[in-house]
Amino acid sequence: MKKIVECVPNFSEGKDADKVEKIADAFRGREGVKLLDYQRDANHNRSVITVIGEPGPLKEAVITAVGAAVALIDMRVHRGQHPRMGAVDVIPFIPLRNTTMEEAVELSRDVAQAIYEAHRLPVFLYEASTADPARKNLADIRKGQFEGMPEKLTLPEWKPDFGERTIHPTAGVVAVGARMPLVAFNINIGTDNIEIARAIAGRVRHIGGGLRYCKAIGIALKERGITQVSMNMTDYTRTPLYQAFELVKTEAKRYGVNVVGSEIIGLVPLGAIADTAAYYMGIEDFTTEKILEARIME
Amino acid sequence: MKKIVECVPNFSEGKDADKVEKIADAFRGREGVKLLDYQRDANHNRSVITVIGEPGPLKEAVITAVGAAVALIDMRVHRGQHPRMGAVDVIPFIPLRNTTMEEAVELSRDVAQAIYEAHRLPVFLYEASTADPARKNLADIRKGQFEGMPEKLTLPEWKPDFGERTIHPTAGVVAVGARMPLVAFNINIGTDNIEIARAIAGRVRHIGGGLRYCKAIGIALKERGITQVSMNMTDYTRTPLYQAFELVKTEAKRYGVNVVGSEIIGLVPLGAIADTAAYYMGIEDFTTEKILEARIME
């Protein structure tokens, strides 16, 4: 069977639909590459594309997409709720089928080198693709954001893995790496007070003493007059989504506010959804093996 | 693309694993037929097999399985919690891919005729395969169970669709028909008082004034010392599983008892599980399109 790798690049454009279409075009009409999903968020001013493919064709498509983003996005005028450091903020590769993490790491390094050579965009390797503990976590690399990067790159410990100690003038820098599947799970809070959303995020996430495989920040959804705990669930098999959801509800009570909904950004693995249904209805011995479509697929 | 039909025959043997294996063998090693699942329940003394296939090969496999069941199961000594009227209690066909309900009805009628001709088992057509409103509902056909069938068949309105007005001496009668996908969903109640489970079932099900697409009975799980509301959700797109689950919890409160778990018998469509997760976590705009595996499958 074919090797299949997933790639979920994040682009710093969420308002201009035409630009996002042009970037997504890089993944269309290519043998061995399949565009699964793309989601544009005007409030975050960010788009997330989900694509799967065989390593070789996927690499070529990603390099083309990065070229489009570098040409179309000017970070000097970018404003959005979500932290970001470049026109292409992050490019994660996830081993999906018949692929080891080592192969995904190798692919990520090939892509990183090619991106620098083709587009002069400095690259940090992150997650499984780096041995440096200070670079494992995307948030550590991104700290200071686009505006702080020129100075950050001059620090001894922040030389990019590919490229020089100067940012691309309009596209900033990018992080590329291989990682396990991640679920982008946002929980909406019925208050416009961002301090409350930030406080909840701070107590639910791992670094705040909360859930082991949960990263979280508080953001404002200004057009809806509410706020959001925006989370990355980095291992849903060990920290299930329902734990994060219930813990956010629990913390929201401290402030007399309510959870008013949630959203999944990009795609979610079937296992995470099956687990959620099994938890809330107490379904005994429930696995994805009990789902008709999953059995047909085998 | 190929036509794929699902078949979920129910056999009145849930204790003897060897016999169930022999029946399941009818679905193994056949071109165009795939055995997806089989579940044996000693308490119900019943097994449910889930199989998919192309209409022609599926028909042959079902006829063979019925032959095995007629040879192996003697209804005169059958005892179990679940109501039943024959060695093969019911054979539903569900149009799955590139198949219309009309085609599934035609297949069910072909199979019904062949079963009578091959095994002398009288057949009632039910659900979409009959025009008679008194025979749409399996429970109406099954009323009286195996023991009451000899007399029931002599009534003017209960002549079988295939076969004479006498039961097969050891295998009883069988219902065959085409229907929409159904979810067999059982909710466990933390009491050994079957009257409570029956009362809850009576208030949750459609005929008792409850949910439109929900059939329910109360049964005892003697070996666990608890009871169960055993449900057939006949259209999960219109009566979602979580409504049944929450309503059973609500009714259980009247009796000071608790829901202690649930189970899915056979396989469940992905849509029903996605809907459950979306409800409990309030996920906005969530459909199966957001599930990675579903997108890969397309």
Side-chain angles (χ1 to χ4, degrees):
Chain A
M1 274 175 61
K2 285 176 185 168
K3 291 179 191 297
I4 300 185
V5 176
E6 184 188 5
C7 184
V8 192
N10 287 221
F11 299 92
S12 295
E13 176 58 67
K15 294 175 179 171
D16 188 328
D18 283 349
K19 289 185 180 175
V20 176
E21 286 299 322
K22 280 178 185 154
I23 295 167
D25 277 343
F27 301 103
R28 292 189 172 106
R30 275 178 196 266
E31 186 84 27
V33 171
K34 187 170 174 187
L35 176 62
L36 292 185
D37 186 73
Y38 57 114
Q39 206 149 341
R40 190 167 59 80
D41 189 309
N43 192 64
H44 286 195
N45 199 7
R46 189 179 182 88
S47 293
V48 176
I49 291 180
T50 305
V51 62
I52 57 172
E54 297 166 60
L58 185 59
K59 175 185 163 181
E60 295 308 316
V62 170
I63 295 166
T64 304
V66 170
V70 169
L72 293 166
I73 300 170
D74 186 347
M75 292 303 292
R76 294 170 301 183
V77 294
H78 181 274
R79 301 289 176 272
Q81 281 290 326
H82 200 290
R84 75 289 178 274
M85 62 183 182
V88 193
D89 204 51
V90 58
I91 307 176
F93 289 94
I94 302 108
L96 217 61
R97 288 200 174 183
N98 306 307
T99 312
T100 62
M101 182 55 81
E102 289 65 38
E103 290 170 314
V105 166
E106 194 186 323
L107 174 63
S108 74
R109 290 170 171 269
D110 285 355
V111 169
Q113 183 172 357
I115 285 175
Y116 178 67
E117 287 171 2
H119 308 300
R120 295 289 134 182
L121 192 59
V123 183
F124 287 106
L125 295 171
Y126 83 118
E127 288 275 355
S129 300
T130 182
D132 182 349
R135 295 184 181 194
K136 285 274 176 199
N137 196 328
L138 178 63
D140 293 334
I141 299 173
R142 193 161 56 196
K143 201 168 179 185
Q145 297 197 48
F146 173 75
E147 291 75 9
M149 281 298 140
E151 191 182 334
K152 186 171 184 172
L153 264 57
T154 64
L155 300 176
E157 66 274 28
W158 287 108
K159 183 178 187 314
D161 290 285
F162 296 93
E164 303 305 313
R165 287 181 178 277
T166 47
I167 67 163
H168 183 290
T170 58
V173 299
V174 59
V176 177
R179 62 161 171 78
M180 288 298 290
L182 167 156
V183 181
F185 183 38
N186 299 335
I187 300 180
N188 297 337
I189 313 292
T191 174
D192 61 358
N193 183 342
I194 184 139
E195 292 311 321
I196 292 178
R198 285 182 179 146
I200 295 170
R203 297 181 73 94
V204 167
R205 66 192 176 193
H206 183 233
I207 52 165
L211 299 166
R212 173 69 187 90
Y213 295 99
C214 175
K215 299 175 182 182
I217 55 173
I219 62 170
L221 299 189
K222 287 203 177 115
E223 75 283 6
R224 291 176 64 177
I226 60 174
T227 50
Q228 189 175 67
V229 177
S230 179
M231 302 186 293
N232 274 339
M233 304 298 294
T234 55
D235 187 345
Y236 68 88
T237 65
R238 293 198 271 181
T239 300
L241 302 194
Y242 64 78
Q243 280 194 358
F245 185 73
E246 292 298 324
L247 210 52
V248 167
K249 278 208 297 195
T250 300
E251 290 296 326
K253 274 192 203 152
R254 291 176 67 98
Y255 305 97
V257 299
N258 290 312
V259 164
V260 296
S262 70
E263 60 178 350
I264 299 279
I265 304 298
L267 299 177
V268 57
L270 179 58
I273 292 305
D275 190 43
T276 299
Y279 170 74
Y280 283 105
M281 300 202 306
I283 314 175
E284 298 174 358
D285 303 323
F286 191 73
T287 67
T288 58
E289 296 283 294
K290 301 279 289 180
I291 296 173
L292 183 62
E293 285 81 350
R295 299 300 301 276
I296 295 174
M297 228 181 121
E298 278 170 9
Chain B
M1 274 174 60
K2 285 176 185 168
K3 293 181 190 294
I4 299 185
V5 177
E6 184 188 6
C7 185
V8 191
N10 288 221
F11 299 92
S12 294
E13 176 58 68
K15 293 176 180 170
D16 188 327
D18 284 349
K19 289 185 181 175
V20 177
E21 286 299 321
K22 280 177 186 154
I23 295 166
D25 276 345
F27 300 104
R28 292 189 171 107
R30 275 177 196 268
E31 187 84 28
V33 172
K34 187 171 172 186
L35 176 62
L36 292 185
D37 186 73
Y38 57 114
Q39 205 149 342
R40 189 167 61 79
D41 188 309
N43 192 65
H44 286 196
N45 199 7
R46 189 179 182 88
S47 294
V48 176
I49 291 181
T50 306
V51 61
I52 57 172
E54 297 166 60
L58 185 60
K59 175 185 164 182
E60 295 309 315
V62 170
I63 295 166
T64 304
V66 170
V70 168
L72 292 166
I73 299 170
D74 186 347
M75 292 305 291
R76 294 172 300 182
V77 295
H78 181 274
R79 301 290 176 272
Q81 281 290 325
H82 200 291
R84 75 289 179 273
M85 62 183 181
V88 193
D89 204 52
V90 58
I91 307 176
F93 289 94
I94 302 108
L96 218 61
R97 288 198 173 185
N98 306 308
T99 312
T100 62
M101 183 55 82
E102 290 65 38
E103 290 171 312
V105 165
E106 194 186 324
L107 174 62
S108 74
R109 289 170 171 270
D110 285 353
V111 168
Q113 182 171 357
I115 284 175
Y116 178 67
E117 287 171 2
H119 309 301
R120 295 289 135 181
L121 191 59
V123 183
F124 288 106
L125 295 171
Y126 84 118
E127 288 275 355
S129 300
T130 182
D132 182 349
R135 296 185 181 192
K136 285 275 176 200
N137 196 329
L138 178 63
D140 293 335
I141 299 173
R142 193 160 55 194
K143 201 169 179 186
Q145 298 198 47
F146 173 75
E147 290 74 10
M149 281 298 140
E151 190 181 334
K152 186 170 185 173
L153 264 57
T154 65
L155 299 176
E157 66 273 29
W158 287 108
K159 182 177 185 312
D161 291 286
F162 296 93
E164 303 305 314
R165 286 182 179 276
T166 46
I167 68 164
H168 184 290
T170 57
V173 299
V174 60
V176 177
R179 62 162 171 77
M180 289 297 291
L182 167 156
V183 181
F185 183 39
N186 299 335
I187 300 180
N188 297 336
I189 313 292
T191 175
D192 61 359
N193 185 342
I194 185 140
E195 292 310 321
I196 293 178
R198 284 182 180 146
I200 295 170
R203 297 180 73 93
V204 168
R205 65 192 176 194
H206 183 233
I207 52 165
L211 299 166
R212 174 70 188 89
Y213 295 99
C214 175
K215 299 176 181 181
I217 55 173
I219 63 170
L221 299 189
K222 289 205 176 112
E223 74 285 5
R224 291 177 64 178
I226 59 174
T227 50
Q228 189 175 68
V229 178
S230 179
M231 302 186 294
N232 274 341
M233 304 299 294
T234 55
D235 188 344
Y236 68 87
T237 65
R238 293 196 271 180
T239 300
L241 302 194
Y242 64 79
Q243 281 193 358
F245 185 73
E246 292 298 324
L247 211 52
V248 168
K249 278 208 297 196
T250 300
E251 290 297 327
K253 274 192 202 149
R254 292 176 68 98
Y255 305 97
V257 299
N258 290 312
V259 165
V260 296
S262 70
E263 59 178 350
I264 300 280
I265 303 298
L267 299 178
V268 57
L270 179 58
I273 292 304
D275 190 44
T276 300
Y279 170 74
Y280 283 105
M281 300 203 306
I283 313 174
E284 297 174 359
D285 303 323
F286 191 73
T287 68
T288 58
E289 296 283 293
K290 301 280 287 181
I291 296 173
L292 182 63
E293 284 82 349
R295 299 301 301 275
I296 294 175
M297 231 181 117
E298 276 169 11

Short mmCIF file of all heavy atoms in Angstrom, two decimals, chain B residues 260-292:
data_model
loop_
_atom_site.label_atom_id
_atom_site.label_comp_id
_atom_site.label_asym_id
_atom_site.label_seq_id
_atom_site.Cartn_x
_atom_site.Cartn_y
_atom_site.Cartn_z
N VAL B 260 -26.62 3.33 34.00
CA VAL B 260 -25.25 2.92 34.37
C VAL B 260 -24.39 2.57 33.15
O VAL B 260 -23.28 2.08 33.30
CB VAL B 260 -25.27 1.73 35.36
CG1 VAL B 260 -25.91 2.15 36.67
CG2 VAL B 260 -25.99 0.52 34.77
N GLY B 261 -24.90 2.84 31.96
CA GLY B 261 -24.11 2.56 30.77
C GLY B 261 -25.02 2.28 29.60
O GLY B 261 -26.25 2.37 29.71
N SER B 262 -24.41 1.97 28.47
CA SER B 262 -25.21 1.65 27.30
C SER B 262 -24.39 0.76 26.39
O SER B 262 -23.21 0.51 26.64
CB SER B 262 -25.64 2.93 26.56
OG SER B 262 -24.52 3.54 25.94
N GLU B 263 -25.00 0.26 25.34
CA GLU B 263 -24.26 -0.54 24.36
C GLU B 263 -24.90 -0.41 22.99
O GLU B 263 -26.10 -0.17 22.86
CB GLU B 263 -24.19 -2.02 24.77
CG GLU B 263 -25.53 -2.67 24.93
CD GLU B 263 -25.44 -4.16 25.31
OE1 GLU B 263 -24.35 -4.73 25.26
OE2 GLU B 263 -26.49 -4.73 25.64
N ILE B 264 -24.07 -0.53 21.99
CA ILE B 264 -24.51 -0.57 20.60
C ILE B 264 -24.39 -2.02 20.15
O ILE B 264 -23.33 -2.63 20.30
CB ILE B 264 -23.59 0.31 19.72
CG1 ILE B 264 -23.59 1.77 20.16
CG2 ILE B 264 -23.92 0.13 18.24
CD1 ILE B 264 -24.76 2.58 19.70
N ILE B 265 -25.47 -2.57 19.61
CA ILE B 265 -25.42 -3.94 19.10
C ILE B 265 -25.22 -3.87 17.58
O ILE B 265 -25.92 -3.12 16.89
CB ILE B 265 -26.72 -4.70 19.42
CG1 ILE B 265 -26.98 -4.70 20.93
CG2 ILE B 265 -26.66 -6.13 18.88
CD1 ILE B 265 -25.93 -5.39 21.75
N GLY B 266 -24.28 -4.64 17.09
CA GLY B 266 -23.98 -4.57 15.66
C GLY B 266 -23.20 -3.29 15.38
O GLY B 266 -22.42 -2.84 16.22
N LEU B 267 -23.42 -2.71 14.23
CA LEU B 267 -22.66 -1.53 13.84
C LEU B 267 -23.56 -0.30 13.80
O LEU B 267 -24.77 -0.40 13.66
CB LEU B 267 -22.04 -1.75 12.46
CG LEU B 267 -21.05 -2.91 12.38
CD1 LEU B 267 -20.53 -3.06 10.95
CD2 LEU B 267 -19.89 -2.74 13.34
N VAL B 268 -22.94 0.85 13.95
CA VAL B 268 -23.68 2.11 13.99
C VAL B 268 -23.17 3.01 12.87
O VAL B 268 -21.96 3.08 12.63
CB VAL B 268 -23.53 2.76 15.39
CG1 VAL B 268 -22.08 2.99 15.76
CG2 VAL B 268 -24.31 4.06 15.50
N PRO B 269 -24.06 3.69 12.15
CA PRO B 269 -23.59 4.61 11.11
C PRO B 269 -22.79 5.77 11.72
O PRO B 269 -23.10 6.25 12.81
CB PRO B 269 -24.88 5.13 10.47
CG PRO B 269 -25.93 4.13 10.82
CD PRO B 269 -25.53 3.59 12.16
N LEU B 270 -21.76 6.18 11.00
CA LEU B 270 -20.91 7.28 11.45
C LEU B 270 -21.70 8.53 11.81
O LEU B 270 -21.42 9.21 12.79
CB LEU B 270 -19.90 7.60 10.34
CG LEU B 270 -18.91 8.73 10.59
CD1 LEU B 270 -18.09 8.47 11.84
CD2 LEU B 270 -17.99 8.89 9.39
N GLY B 271 -22.74 8.82 11.02
CA GLY B 271 -23.53 10.03 11.24
C GLY B 271 -24.14 10.07 12.64
O GLY B 271 -24.22 11.14 13.26
N ALA B 272 -24.56 8.92 13.16
CA ALA B 272 -25.19 8.87 14.48
C ALA B 272 -24.18 9.20 15.58
O ALA B 272 -24.52 9.85 16.58
CB ALA B 272 -25.80 7.49 14.72
N ILE B 273 -22.94 8.78 15.38
CA ILE B 273 -21.90 9.03 16.39
C ILE B 273 -21.41 10.47 16.31
O ILE B 273 -21.20 11.14 17.32
CB ILE B 273 -20.74 8.01 16.19
CG1 ILE B 273 -21.24 6.60 16.55
CG2 ILE B 273 -19.52 8.37 17.01
CD1 ILE B 273 -21.81 6.47 17.95
N ALA B 274 -21.25 10.97 15.10
CA ALA B 274 -20.82 12.36 14.92
C ALA B 274 -21.84 13.30 15.54
O ALA B 274 -21.50 14.28 16.21
CB ALA B 274 -20.65 12.66 13.43
N ASP B 275 -23.11 12.98 15.34
CA ASP B 275 -24.20 13.78 15.86
C ASP B 275 -24.18 13.80 17.40
O ASP B 275 -24.42 14.83 18.04
CB ASP B 275 -25.50 13.15 15.36
CG ASP B 275 -26.71 14.01 15.62
OD1 ASP B 275 -26.61 15.23 15.39
OD2 ASP B 275 -27.73 13.48 16.06
N THR B 276 -23.89 12.66 17.98
CA THR B 276 -23.82 12.55 19.44
C THR B 276 -22.70 13.43 20.00
O THR B 276 -22.91 14.19 20.95
CB THR B 276 -23.56 11.07 19.84
OG1 THR B 276 -24.63 10.28 19.35
CG2 THR B 276 -23.46 10.92 21.35
N ALA B 277 -21.52 13.31 19.42
CA ALA B 277 -20.39 14.12 19.88
C ALA B 277 -20.69 15.60 19.71
O ALA B 277 -20.42 16.42 20.59
CB ALA B 277 -19.12 13.74 19.12
N ALA B 278 -21.29 15.97 18.58
CA ALA B 278 -21.61 17.37 18.29
C ALA B 278 -22.60 17.91 19.31
O ALA B 278 -22.49 19.05 19.78
CB ALA B 278 -22.16 17.52 16.88
N TYR B 279 -23.57 17.08 19.68
CA TYR B 279 -24.56 17.54 20.66
C TYR B 279 -23.92 17.79 22.03
O TYR B 279 -24.08 18.86 22.61
CB TYR B 279 -25.70 16.53 20.81
CG TYR B 279 -26.58 16.87 21.99
CD1 TYR B 279 -27.46 17.95 21.92
CD2 TYR B 279 -26.46 16.20 23.19
CE1 TYR B 279 -28.21 18.33 23.02
CE2 TYR B 279 -27.21 16.56 24.30
CZ TYR B 279 -28.09 17.62 24.21
OH TYR B 279 -28.82 18.01 25.29
N TYR B 280 -23.19 16.80 22.51
CA TYR B 280 -22.70 16.92 23.90
C TYR B 280 -21.63 17.99 24.06
O TYR B 280 -21.48 18.55 25.12
CB TYR B 280 -22.23 15.57 24.43
CG TYR B 280 -23.40 14.70 24.81
CD1 TYR B 280 -23.81 13.63 24.03
CD2 TYR B 280 -24.14 14.98 25.96
CE1 TYR B 280 -24.90 12.86 24.37
CE2 TYR B 280 -25.24 14.22 26.31
CZ TYR B 280 -25.62 13.16 25.51
OH TYR B 280 -26.71 12.41 25.85
N MET B 281 -20.87 18.25 23.01
CA MET B 281 -19.86 19.31 23.14
C MET B 281 -20.27 20.58 22.39
O MET B 281 -19.47 21.49 22.26
CB MET B 281 -18.48 18.80 22.69
CG MET B 281 -18.03 17.59 23.55
SD MET B 281 -16.26 17.28 23.60
CE MET B 281 -15.86 17.18 21.85
N GLY B 282 -21.49 20.62 21.93
CA GLY B 282 -21.99 21.82 21.26
C GLY B 282 -21.12 22.25 20.09
O GLY B 282 -20.89 23.44 19.87
N ILE B 283 -20.63 21.28 19.32
CA ILE B 283 -19.73 21.61 18.20
C ILE B 283 -20.54 22.23 17.07
O ILE B 283 -21.46 21.62 16.54
CB ILE B 283 -18.97 20.38 17.69
CG1 ILE B 283 -18.37 19.56 18.85
CG2 ILE B 283 -17.86 20.81 16.73
CD1 ILE B 283 -17.73 18.24 18.41
N GLU B 284 -20.20 23.45 16.71
CA GLU B 284 -20.93 24.17 15.67
C GLU B 284 -20.61 23.60 14.29
O GLU B 284 -19.46 23.27 14.00
CB GLU B 284 -20.57 25.66 15.72
CG GLU B 284 -20.98 26.31 17.04
CD GLU B 284 -20.49 27.76 17.16
OE1 GLU B 284 -19.82 28.26 16.25
OE2 GLU B 284 -20.79 28.38 18.21
N ASP B 285 -21.63 23.52 13.43
CA ASP B 285 -21.45 23.10 12.03
C ASP B 285 -20.67 21.80 11.88
O ASP B 285 -19.85 21.67 10.98
CB ASP B 285 -20.72 24.20 11.23
CG ASP B 285 -21.45 25.52 11.29
OD1 ASP B 285 -22.69 25.50 11.27
OD2 ASP B 285 -20.79 26.56 11.38
N PHE B 286 -20.91 20.86 12.78
CA PHE B 286 -20.15 19.61 12.71
C PHE B 286 -20.91 18.57 11.90
O PHE B 286 -22.07 18.28 12.15
CB PHE B 286 -19.89 19.07 14.12
CG PHE B 286 -18.90 17.94 14.13
CD1 PHE B 286 -17.56 18.20 13.92
CD2 PHE B 286 -19.30 16.64 14.34
CE1 PHE B 286 -16.63 17.18 13.92
CE2 PHE B 286 -18.38 15.60 14.34
CZ PHE B 286 -17.04 15.88 14.13
N THR B 287 -20.24 18.01 10.89
CA THR B 287 -20.80 16.92 10.11
C THR B 287 -19.71 15.87 9.93
O THR B 287 -18.56 16.10 10.31
CB THR B 287 -21.25 17.39 8.71
OG1 THR B 287 -20.07 17.73 7.97
CG2 THR B 287 -22.18 18.59 8.77
N THR B 288 -20.06 14.76 9.31
CA THR B 288 -19.06 13.72 9.08
C THR B 288 -17.97 14.19 8.12
O THR B 288 -16.90 13.61 8.06
CB THR B 288 -19.71 12.43 8.53
OG1 THR B 288 -20.38 12.75 7.32
CG2 THR B 288 -20.73 11.87 9.51
N GLU B 289 -18.25 15.28 7.40
CA GLU B 289 -17.25 15.88 6.51
C GLU B 289 -16.01 16.36 7.25
O GLU B 289 -14.97 16.60 6.65
CB GLU B 289 -17.85 17.10 5.79
CG GLU B 289 -18.99 16.79 4.87
CD GLU B 289 -18.50 16.20 3.58
OE1 GLU B 289 -17.84 16.91 2.82
OE2 GLU B 289 -18.77 15.00 3.36
N LYS B 290 -16.16 16.56 8.56
CA LYS B 290 -15.05 17.06 9.37
C LYS B 290 -14.19 15.93 9.92
O LYS B 290 -13.23 16.18 10.65
CB LYS B 290 -15.59 17.89 10.54
CG LYS B 290 -16.45 19.09 10.16
CD LYS B 290 -15.61 20.27 9.75
CE LYS B 290 -14.93 20.90 10.96
NZ LYS B 290 -14.13 22.06 10.53
N ILE B 291 -14.56 14.71 9.61
CA ILE B 291 -13.83 13.57 10.14
C ILE B 291 -12.82 13.06 9.11
O ILE B 291 -13.18 12.76 7.97
CB ILE B 291 -14.80 12.45 10.58
CG1 ILE B 291 -15.65 12.98 11.75
CG2 ILE B 291 -14.04 11.19 10.98
CD1 ILE B 291 -16.77 12.06 12.17
N LEU B 292 -11.57 13.04 9.53
CA LEU B 292 -10.46 12.72 8.63
C LEU B 292 -10.69 11.44 7.84
O LEU B 292 -10.58 11.43 6.61
CB LEU B 292 -9.19 12.61 9.49
CG LEU B 292 -7.87 12.33 8.77
CD1 LEU B 292 -7.52 13.45 7.81
CD2 LEU B 292 -6.75 12.13 9.77
#
